[in-house]
Amino acid sequence: MLHVNELTYRINGRVILDGATIALPSGHKVGLVGRNGSGKTTLLKLILGELAPETGSVSLPRRARVGTVEQEAPSGEDSLLETVLAADKERHALLLRAATAADPHAIAEIQTRLADIEAHSAPARAATILSGLGFDNDQQQAACSELSGGWRMRVALAAALFAGPDLLLLDEPTNYLDLEGTIWLKSFIRGYRHTVVIVSHDRDLLNDAVHSILHLDQGKLSLYQGNYDSFERQRREKQALELSLRKKQEETRRHMMRFVDRFRYKASKARQAQSRLKAIEKLAPIAAMIDQRVAPFIFPTPKKTLNPPLIRFENASVGYHEDKPVLSNLNLRIDGDDRIALLGQNGNGKSTLAKLVCGKLPVTKGVKWHHKQLQVGYFAQHQLDELDEEFTPHDYFRHLMPESRESQRRARLGVYGFGASTADTRCSDLSGGEKARLLFALASIHAPHILVLDEPTNHLDVDSREALIHAINDYEGSVILISHDRHLIETSVDRLWLVANGKVEPFEGDIADYAVYVLDQAKAERRNKANPASSRGGTRRLQVQPRANPVTVRRRISEADAAIRKLNEKIGVLDRALADQHLYSADPLKAQAFLRLRTELQNDLETAEMRWLEAHGELDDSQN
């Protein structure tokens, strides 16, 4: 469906795309990855026609609809629901024609087309998307102008998803989402019927929502079948093979040059020596795969160990107005080695709790106790906009380390990844990733006992996120984490707190259990809208269920196990077939059929895994 042919593009003389070529069949879900600054967003703009290539072309079927998230967030007086509905331009135009049409034939034609595009169900579909992205029914009826910029970008994302284009281009779609919205978006993309290209650094999204990874590196595009973990494995294998071939080629070159050096001036061997020289010239060098080094993140060990707990809350409340608490009845403690992730939808009070821990908000009721010598480091995304544009990283370090020598400050900057070229660069000229790295340095420079990290990954690429995970795991203090990056949570924390309904309570289970919980809540809300009477007593997941018969449950577990095995075998066969690049050119219809079948099997596999998880949960309950 999408063909990128020998595309070349430069920015200020620097080659961004260098003869890039790729073909993506219809229905493919692709993750576009590459280092920050490699040209991913530029490629999307070229596909959209917003930029013109220097050479090459982008081709799509003639009537294919291409959609993306509009950069300018909606801000008018139309409601969120009306704004999303208007994204389906054909439906919108047909409704306008229907309101004024007088000719019976025209009316019949309009109504037939409205039925064909299922216009009658559009409000329900739009409401479902908005709900999945975190908007309740009342918010959906409110005007876009009442929302902050981040929430308006969610509306723009909802509009792009609702429009249902043949080719959907998403550039970092999770940046404005919480974990709950990210979980829902992943589920939506998996079930999307058309082609999707996603630029993302969210490893979990790239593992679970796409069929293949499109890697942009040094101006070239390479397609890898499978998810991100599979891409990393394939790329390392390719790297090792190329390194081996490169060594063999260098050895061949050296051997031939030794012959030339020995015999080039002997008349009897001169012709052979010249022949070897020509052969050496024709040896095409094997391109080395360049792995750019990612500077590590360093969080210093706290200078003094404090006895637990570091912080304790007793019947505490916090808010921005004394008579309107955001969170109430907090009975929590934080110890020196805690790794805690805060879960819950945006707007429920996660950042408020983070500010309370940091001392940026006082308790309005109850007690907050903490060590007098306690040091807390705080990182939040909004701080990027608060950096002084005229300051350099060295200026900040000079301010925070006034007693240190110049060489000591420079050495400390180097530890945080700011070498000579960036330490004296103004903040206005730093990239998003470099600004985030500076904020990490400022938050941890005094070796805090607690690090509070509020959405720390938005400007970090995949490799930098892995470096952050290593830094958190090496850090000997306590960590409070708010993130939509499931992979970061899974690999960095061991306790989950759910912030919801004005309370903070431990969540029993892991992040996979929480993902199931979120999707179950969304399903329950849809059921309750369809049948309000069923909503009495809360959602079904939170109701007490009768204990199941263990024999029956074990049989269901066995059946689910068998189904999972069979489905994995079928998916494996399809993956091997889809890994053959010849298939797409030789028989594109078969390739599309295989892709559709793989999507169906993947959905069946997730259903079987869900049955397996639920059955195990019932078995545990029945035995307790």
Side-chain angles (χ1 to χ4, degrees):
M1 176 195 181
L2 170 64
H3 293 270
V4 175
N5 305 301
E6 294 293 330
L7 210 61
T8 299
Y9 189 81
R10 288 180 173 84
I11 296 178
N12 297 326
R14 183 169 73 93
V15 177
I16 303 297
L17 295 167
D18 184 11
T21 299
I22 200 69
L24 299 179
S26 298
H28 219 46
K29 312 291 194 309
V30 180
L32 175 57
V33 303
R35 286 290 172 82
N36 285 344
S38 61
K40 301 183 296 295
T41 299
T42 299
L43 177 59
L44 295 192
K45 289 182 177 179
L46 287 163
I47 294 171
L48 287 165
E50 295 177 4
L51 296 174
E54 183 177 315
T55 61
S57 63
V58 175
S59 61
L60 288 158
R62 198 175 78 179
R63 296 191 178 182
R65 295 175 303 127
V66 182
T68 190
V69 178
E70 296 296 334
Q71 293 302 305
E72 188 172 341
S75 58
E77 294 305 312
D78 287 343
S79 71
L80 275 57
L81 189 60
E82 291 169 338
T83 301
V84 172
L85 287 170
D88 187 339
K89 292 183 170 39
E90 182 183 10
R91 174 184 175 276
H92 188 65
L94 287 169
L95 290 175
L96 289 177
R97 287 177 57 198
T100 57
D103 179 66
H105 295 290
I107 293 172
E109 182 182 322
I110 292 168
Q111 293 302 323
T112 299
R113 184 56 187 160
L114 285 170
D116 289 342
I117 64 174
E118 299 179 338
H120 63 285
S121 65
R125 286 186 281 113
T128 298
I129 292 172
L130 283 166
S131 176
L133 295 177
F135 298 100
D136 62 30
N137 189 58
D138 291 338
Q139 291 171 320
Q140 292 177 25
Q141 308 307 318
C144 287
S145 58
E146 297 178 13
L147 300 175
S148 65
W151 284 95
R152 290 206 303 272
M153 287 307 299
R154 289 197 191 200
V155 179
L157 173 59
L161 300 179
F162 173 74
D166 302 296
L167 173 61
L168 177 60
L169 305 177
L170 298 176
D171 193 351
E172 294 292 357
T174 62
N175 271 3
Y176 297 99
L177 300 181
D178 49 25
L179 178 62
E180 293 71 20
T182 301
I183 290 169
W184 178 89
L185 178 64
K186 182 174 68 174
S187 176
F188 181 91
I189 291 172
R190 280 201 304 259
Y192 192 71
R193 293 181 298 173
H194 306 300
T195 307
V196 184
V197 177
I198 312 169
V199 174
S200 180
H201 297 308
D202 188 320
R203 192 184 188 112
D204 187 61
L205 181 68
L206 295 174
N207 269 332
D208 289 352
V210 303
H211 299 139
S212 55
I213 299 295
L214 184 59
H215 185 217
L216 177 55
D217 183 42
Q218 301 179 66
K220 303 293 186 182
L221 289 170
S222 302
L223 188 67
Y224 294 79
Q225 293 300 322
N227 61 14
Y228 188 84
D229 285 346
S230 174
F231 153 72
E232 271 205 333
R233 185 181 66 255
Q234 292 178 63
R235 186 163 181 262
R236 294 303 172 197
E237 290 170 354
K238 183 178 178 182
Q239 209 167 24
L241 177 62
E242 289 194 359
L243 181 61
S244 175
L245 291 174
R246 190 179 178 86
K247 287 180 179 178
K248 288 180 181 178
Q249 188 184 72
E250 290 300 323
E251 180 58 36
T252 301
R253 190 186 300 273
R254 284 194 296 271
H255 179 75
M256 293 169 74
M257 278 303 301
R258 282 197 296 269
F259 180 91
V260 170
D261 291 339
R262 285 177 61 197
F263 299 114
R264 70 195 310 170
Y265 300 114
K266 281 192 175 183
S268 61
K269 298 286 187 178
R271 181 174 295 177
Q272 292 181 36
Q274 288 299 318
S275 176
R276 298 287 174 95
L277 275 175
K278 291 179 181 178
I280 290 172
E281 290 174 1
K282 291 179 180 178
L283 272 177
I286 295 171
M289 293 179 70
I290 299 173
D291 254 350
Q292 298 173 348
R293 178 180 175 272
V294 176
F297 294 96
I298 304 294
F299 298 141
T301 299
K303 294 176 183 176
K304 182 177 180 180
T305 302
L306 303 179
N307 292 327
L310 301 181
I311 298 178
R312 185 175 68 246
F313 299 105
E314 296 178 359
N315 298 318
S317 298
V318 62
Y320 301 91
H321 303 284
E322 191 168 345
D323 57 339
K324 294 181 179 178
V326 176
L327 300 170
S328 304
N329 300 318
L330 300 178
N331 290 285
L332 309 166
R333 62 178 280 163
I334 300 172
D335 294 331
D337 57 352
D338 275 339
R339 297 286 194 276
I340 302 168
L342 304 184
L343 308 177
Q345 291 186 335
N346 282 355
N348 279 358
K350 299 192 299 292
S351 293
T352 300
L353 179 60
K355 291 175 183 176
L356 176 63
V357 171
C358 293
K360 295 182 178 296
L361 283 176
V363 295
T364 56
K365 184 181 177 182
V367 175
K368 174 190 176 183
W369 179 93
H370 64 87
H371 277 279
K372 291 182 180 179
Q373 295 176 308
L374 180 69
Q375 292 276 347
V376 181
Y378 180 52
F379 175 102
Q381 278 296 325
H382 66 80
Q383 294 173 327
L384 267 73
D385 299 325
E386 297 171 4
L387 290 171
D388 189 321
E389 292 190 352
E390 298 303 315
F391 263 46
T392 67
H394 184 252
D395 291 333
Y396 274 106
F397 272 60
R398 187 189 297 118
H399 176 71
L400 292 171
M401 302 171 64
E403 305 300 324
S404 300
R405 296 192 301 272
E406 174 84 2
S407 59
Q408 291 174 319
R409 287 194 291 266
R410 295 283 179 183
R412 194 74 174 273
L413 281 160
V415 167
Y416 284 108
F418 291 98
S421 61
T422 51
D424 295 310
T425 300
R426 294 187 309 172
C427 287
S428 59
D429 296 324
L430 294 176
S431 68
E434 288 167 337
K435 289 179 181 178
R437 190 173 284 275
L438 175 58
L439 288 181
F440 284 123
L442 300 180
S444 63
I445 193 169
H446 293 308
H449 301 91
I450 300 176
L451 264 179
V452 179
L453 305 177
D454 191 347
E455 293 294 355
T457 61
N458 277 3
H459 293 277
L460 302 181
D461 59 30
V462 178
D463 292 330
S464 295
R465 292 185 185 203
E466 290 299 318
L468 177 61
I469 289 169
H470 289 298
I472 291 174
N473 289 328
D474 290 341
Y475 174 58
E476 295 184 15
S478 181
V479 175
I480 308 296
L481 177 65
I482 302 171
S483 179
H484 64 260
D485 189 324
R486 177 172 164 176
H487 178 66
L488 175 64
I489 294 174
E490 284 179 321
T491 51
S492 301
V493 308
D494 48 33
R495 296 174 63 194
L496 304 176
W497 286 357
L498 179 58
V499 183
N501 303 317
K503 300 184 182 302
V504 181
E505 297 176 344
F507 182 84
E508 300 300 332
D510 58 19
I511 197 66
D513 297 319
Y514 184 67
V516 173
Y517 169 78
V518 168
L519 295 175
D520 280 357
Q521 292 286 78
K523 290 175 184 175
E525 286 179 13
R526 290 198 294 272
R527 284 196 300 267
N528 292 340
K529 284 181 182 178
N531 182 15
S534 68
S535 64
R536 290 194 300 269
T539 63
R540 287 176 57 189
R541 182 174 176 82
L542 300 181
Q543 293 174 357
V544 177
Q545 300 291 338
R547 296 194 176 192
N549 184 332
V551 175
T552 304
V553 175
R554 287 193 182 94
R555 186 170 63 249
R556 285 166 48 201
I557 290 173
S558 178
E559 291 171 352
D561 267 331
I564 289 169
R565 273 197 309 275
K566 289 180 181 178
L567 288 166
N568 274 321
E569 289 172 3
K570 291 179 180 178
I571 289 173
V573 171
L574 283 174
D575 282 345
R576 287 190 290 275
L578 290 168
D580 182 4
Q581 296 294 322
H582 181 67
L583 173 66
Y584 300 99
S585 56
D587 196 343
L589 292 178
K590 181 183 285 188
Q592 290 180 32
F594 281 2
L595 287 168
R596 284 195 296 271
L597 179 57
R598 194 195 186 285
T599 299
E600 292 170 6
L601 291 174
Q602 183 66 39
N603 291 335
D604 291 343
L605 178 61
E606 289 165 11
T607 302
E609 288 172 342
M610 191 75 71
R611 289 201 303 268
W612 186 90
L613 284 169
E614 290 173 352
H616 267 282
E618 290 181 30
L619 185 62
D620 290 342
D621 290 342
S622 69
Q623 294 174 341
N624 291 333

